[in-house]
């Protein structure tokens, strides 16, 4: 039987989940890899059962509590990322704070050598724009925070050119849901870092700012049937 690399990864995740289940059934408190396997597997199975992205994340967060794992695991395991197969395709699930901690401050202080965080700094996203998006399809469409919005589902009608090189102005792991046959306005912020986009819908697959890249991506989107409303954006303000 020939398996793709992704299928090999899913098989290894399942084997790790079986081991974690056996140890949990014996009353053994789980370590980081074991807890990661159980939570990631729960998210993948929820997706295969037809759950939406937000529901899969919620199902994963219900798997374990702080009493099920070794001391310090909830503080170490702050985020889990796993690719899952949904009814409408493969998506990356980001599960933040996957193990609820009833008293995180007290637990962290009790761990020798723990780093005690201060107050989080305010995060300001630059160059925000607002785009009106209409879902012309018959089902709700979910877009994750760091998806290249230009390449979002072809049934979403919005100004693709304005969305080029941008993502939703949301925290990592958050999502925007677009109900069927309705419109909503979202804020978009530029993609940071090296601004190289690989994957997604395959409309760019390279440096966002390369000469002619925008025009080529728009042409690919047009040929593939992506809806585009033209210029409908408005500046929200530059901090």
């Amino acid at each position: 039987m020939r398996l793709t690399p992704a299928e090999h990864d899913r098989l290894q995740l399942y084997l790790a989940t079986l081991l974690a289940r056996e140890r949990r059934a014996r009353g053994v408190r789980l370590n980081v890899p074991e807890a990661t396997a159980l939570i990631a597997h729960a998210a993948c199975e929820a997706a295969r059962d037809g759950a939406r992205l937000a529901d899969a994340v919620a199902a994963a967060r219900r798997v374990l509590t702080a009493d099920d794992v070794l001391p310090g695991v909830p503080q170490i395991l702050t985020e889990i990322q796993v690719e899952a197969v949904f009814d409408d395709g493969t998506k990356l699930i980001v599960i933040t704070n996957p193990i609820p901690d009833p008293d995180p401050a007290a637990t962290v202080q009790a761990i020798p050598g723990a780093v005690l965080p201060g107050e989080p700094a305010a995060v300001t996203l630059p160059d925000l724009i607002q785009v009106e998006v209409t879902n012309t399809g018959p089902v709700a469409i979910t877009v994750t925070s760091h998806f290249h919005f230009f390449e979002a589902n072809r049934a979403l009608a919005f100004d693709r050119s304005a969305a080029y090189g941008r993502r939703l102005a949301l925290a990592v792991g958050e999502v925007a849901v677009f109900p069927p046959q309705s419109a909503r306005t979202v804020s978009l912020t530029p993609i940071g870092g090296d601004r190289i986009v690989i994957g997604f819908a395959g409309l760019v697959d390279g440096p966002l700012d390369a000469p002619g890249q925008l025009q080529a991506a728009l042409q690919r989107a047009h040929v593939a049937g992506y809806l585009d409303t033209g210029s409908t954006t408005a500046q929200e303000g530059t901090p």
Side-chain angles (χ1 to χ4, degrees), residues 106-134:
T107 305
V108 170
Q109 292 176 6
I111 300 174
V115 176
L116 303 181
E119 291 297 321
V123 177
T124 302
L125 295 174
D127 187 22
L128 293 179
I129 64 170
Q130 288 188 318
V131 178
E132 184 179 272
V133 182
T134 301

Side-chain angles (χ1 to χ4, degrees), residues 139-186:
V139 298
I141 295 173
T142 300
V143 182
T144 54
S145 59
H146 282 57
F147 194 94
H148 184 207
F149 202 78
F150 172 87
E151 303 181 64
N153 194 296
R154 69 190 69 202
L156 295 178
F158 58 94
D159 183 356
R160 298 268 171 182
S161 179
Y164 182 82
R166 293 177 177 271
R167 64 173 181 84
L168 288 166
L170 299 174
V172 174
E174 293 186 2
V175 300
V177 179
F178 300 90
Q181 303 297 322
S182 62
R184 62 172 291 191
T185 298
V186 296

Side-chain angles (χ1 to χ4, degrees), residues 8-158:
H8 274 290
D9 290 342
R10 294 190 185 107
L11 182 58
Q12 287 181 331
L13 174 61
Y14 180 67
L15 292 175
T17 301
L18 290 180
L19 177 61
R21 284 175 177 171
E22 288 181 3
R23 290 178 176 172
R24 186 185 183 193
R26 298 201 312 267
V28 176
R29 301 182 76 176
L30 305 181
N31 58 22
V32 170
E34 294 160 353
T36 301
L38 273 180
I39 294 169
H41 179 73
C44 291
E45 289 305 295
R48 291 289 282 127
D49 289 342
R52 308 298 297 176
L53 181 59
D55 296 329
V57 172
R61 287 194 176 120
R62 292 194 295 268
V63 174
L64 296 175
T65 68
D67 292 334
D68 297 316
V69 297
L70 293 170
V73 170
Q75 293 73 41
I76 297 171
L77 197 57
T78 58
E79 180 180 289
I80 295 174
Q81 297 186 14
V82 62
E83 277 195 347
V85 179
F86 290 83
D87 290 344
D88 54 352
T90 301
K91 298 178 185 177
L92 177 67
I93 302 179
V94 181
I95 309 160
T96 55
N97 298 320
I99 304 176
D101 191 352
D103 190 2
T107 305
V108 170
Q109 292 176 6
I111 300 174
V115 176
L116 303 181
E119 291 297 321
V123 177
T124 302
L125 295 174
D127 187 22
L128 293 179
I129 64 170
Q130 288 188 318
V131 178
E132 184 179 272
V133 182
T134 301
N135 180 2
T136 65
V139 298
I141 295 173
T142 300
V143 182
T144 54
S145 59
H146 282 57
F147 194 94
H148 184 207
F149 202 78
F150 172 87
E151 303 181 64
N153 194 296
R154 69 190 69 202
L156 295 178
F158 58 94

Side-chain angles (χ1 to χ4, degrees), residues 150 203 213-225:
F150 172 87
L203 299 180
Q213 186 74 284
L214 169 59
Q215 290 72 22
L218 284 169
Q219 178 62 23
R220 295 188 194 103
H222 176 72
V223 171

